[in-house]
Amino acid sequence: MDNYEVQFGLLRSRAFLETDNSELFRQLLFCMELYGDYRAHITLYRDILDAQPYAALAWYNLGIAYQQSDNIDEALEALEYAFICNQHFEAAYYAFADLALQDGQCRRALLCLREMQQYVDVDQLMLVRLSECALRCGELKAAGRYAQEALRLEPFSAEACYWLSRSNTAAANHRAALRWLREAVRLDDSREDLHRALGEAYLQAGKCREARVHFLRAVDLAPDEAANWAGAAATLLNAGTPEQALELLEEASEFTNSFEIQYCRAVCLFLLARRQEAWPVFQLALQENFGYHPAIFKWAPSLEHDPEVQSAIANFH
């Protein structure tokens, strides 16, 4: 800690004199992330800004410090000032847009990135982010257009294919959505989220065999991700083989035992008429994440008309 105090003191002294030194302010961020002393950093950047209110790097670091300390409104305000003070400050635009998206403020994120277009060279990454923001704002045509522009700049962008798929899904163009998801996986076979998305698309289309292939590939890539196992088990449930689904979930428990797995195990046990075993598993799943329970009716529609299951849900609270 003594070394930290010395290092921070030296960096602090320089920061007042070198407000345009991006490497110095990167070192300050690293120092903050390493030791978590957010309050001292917030005080430093506010002191700098009292003296030099247009110091964009200080505004940026202040925004990151507020974000790390869970002061979202203050973080967004500081990051916005950062790119107002320096209209070419690419990192500030992205940090603001990402945080606004995380906070559910998709319109602010979209407006930020559209402003960024005026001052920063447009590239594939920017267009992909624009596609995501437009989609979350319900601007389906704009979302598709941004993704297509990204593909024109970078024809091998799996991310652009993914968001083009998402925009087609939102527009109920499921054939095109499936096509672009397949293309995304072809371009990047190493991303478990793409395989899982393709598995979900195939499952919705009633193609259980194809769905299982991609869910299992996702399992291979990320065995600690419960949604991959649950998706693979769902394909077996849809195929009418709850015994195999339960075997798969037993294997999954070696890697993860989250609420998705518990819900899926409970469904398997209900379908196998092993209700006494199912109840404690189901109750545990309800306790861990009550809001997820409607998923069981997708895996086993018959349970929606099961009075005991419905009673357990209704009486949970």
Side-chain angles (χ1 to χ4, degrees), residues 80 91 95 100 119 131 208 211 223-224 231 234 243 281 305:
E80 187 171 22
Y119 303 105
S131 180
C208 292
D224 59 340
E243 301 94 339
V281 178
H305 307 290

Side-chain angles (χ1 to χ4, degrees), residues 80-214:
E80 187 171 22
Y81 274 120
F83 62 74
I84 288 173
C85 293
N86 179 358
Q87 293 175 320
H88 303 280
F89 199 163
E90 188 172 334
Y93 288 109
Y94 281 130
F96 179 96
D98 288 346
L99 182 56
L101 271 183
Q102 292 171 26
D103 196 49
Q105 301 185 50
C106 59
R107 179 61 58 182
R108 289 185 75 184
L110 181 59
L111 292 175
C112 165
L113 292 176
R114 282 177 171 164
E115 182 176 348
M116 181 184 180
Q117 283 184 288
Q118 303 175 47
Y119 303 105
V120 177
D121 290 339
V122 175
D123 60 10
Q124 176 259 342
L125 174 61
M126 184 194 301
L127 290 165
V128 163
R129 297 282 185 88
L130 279 162
S131 180
E132 177 182 2
C133 290
L135 181 62
R136 293 181 187 236
C137 290
E139 296 186 17
L140 306 187
K141 290 184 179 178
R145 185 176 67 251
Y146 286 131
Q148 288 171 337
E149 289 175 10
L151 278 173
R152 278 194 285 272
L153 288 180
E154 177 49 72
F156 302 107
S157 171
E159 193 73 5
C161 290
Y162 172 74
W163 287 106
L164 189 52
S165 170
R166 287 282 302 273
S167 64
N168 276 285
T169 297
N173 190 347
H174 299 295
R175 176 179 288 186
L178 194 56
R179 171 200 165 198
W180 286 111
L181 262 182
R182 285 197 299 261
E183 181 65 9
V185 168
R186 187 187 71 81
L187 289 170
D188 191 348
D189 182 61
S190 65
R191 281 182 52 179
E192 58 90 16
D193 61 321
L194 295 182
H195 281 283
R196 184 171 64 251
L198 185 52
E200 290 167 353
Y202 274 130
L203 192 57
Q204 290 175 3
K207 298 182 177 181
C208 292
R209 183 178 299 176
E210 292 89 338
R212 192 175 309 126
V213 167
H214 290 283

Side-chain angles (χ1 to χ4, degrees), residues 201-265:
Y202 274 130
L203 192 57
Q204 290 175 3
K207 298 182 177 181
C208 292
R209 183 178 299 176
E210 292 89 338
R212 192 175 309 126
V213 167
H214 290 283
F215 279 123
L216 291 176
R217 174 62 175 149
V219 162
D220 288 340
L221 292 167
D224 59 340
E225 179 58 58
N228 298 333
W229 292 98
T235 67
L236 293 167
L237 290 171
N238 279 23
T241 56
E243 301 94 339
Q244 293 181 33
L246 191 58
E247 289 177 10
L248 183 69
L249 293 169
E250 292 298 330
E251 183 182 349
S253 65
E254 299 177 15
F255 300 92
T256 177
N257 203 24
S258 75
F259 61 86
E260 296 103 325
I261 302 300
Q262 298 298 337
Y263 273 115
C264 210
R265 283 189 66 230

